[in-house]
Amino acid sequence: VRTLRDLAAVLEDEARPAAVCRELTKMFEETRTAPLAELAAHYEAHPPKGEIVLVIAGAARRKKRDAPGEE
């Protein structure tokens, strides 16, 4: 939960999509996808149990600026 909160704060410039995958390959496997802030709020209210994998989308590509003298 702290990691999700910290990531949501650091990456606040955009609602970065992420997935919390819990208990992979086991009977109670669960995957929840949402923006980081929403995942942090959910897991604060419902603390997760078990082994967790956190997957975060990469930063959006920024439009490349033309070099001086190029059009």
Side-chain angles (χ1 to χ4, degrees), residues 40-67:
H42 173 79
Y43 286 108
E44 278 193 68
H46 307 93
K49 293 181 183 178
E51 299 164 350
I52 294 174
V53 174
L54 179 59
V55 181
I56 305 167
R61 290 183 180 223
R62 294 185 179 176
K63 195 173 187 179
K64 186 177 178 181
R65 288 192 226 164
D66 292 332

Side-chain angles (χ1 to χ4, degrees), residues 1-62:
V1 175
R2 286 188 310 230
T3 299
L4 288 168
R5 265 186 294 177
D6 290 347
L7 287 166
V10 170
L11 302 173
E12 68 183 5
D13 59 325
E14 56 185 276
R16 181 124 6 151
V20 173
C21 308
R22 190 178 71 78
E23 294 296 293
L24 293 176
T25 74
K26 296 181 182 166
M27 185 178 204
F28 298 105
E29 181 176 318
E30 173 189 54
T31 300
R32 180 175 294 273
T33 57
L36 284 166
E38 189 177 315
L39 289 170
H42 173 79
Y43 286 108
E44 278 193 68
H46 307 93
K49 293 181 183 178
E51 299 164 350
I52 294 174
V53 174
L54 179 59
V55 181
I56 305 167
R61 290 183 180 223
R62 294 185 179 176

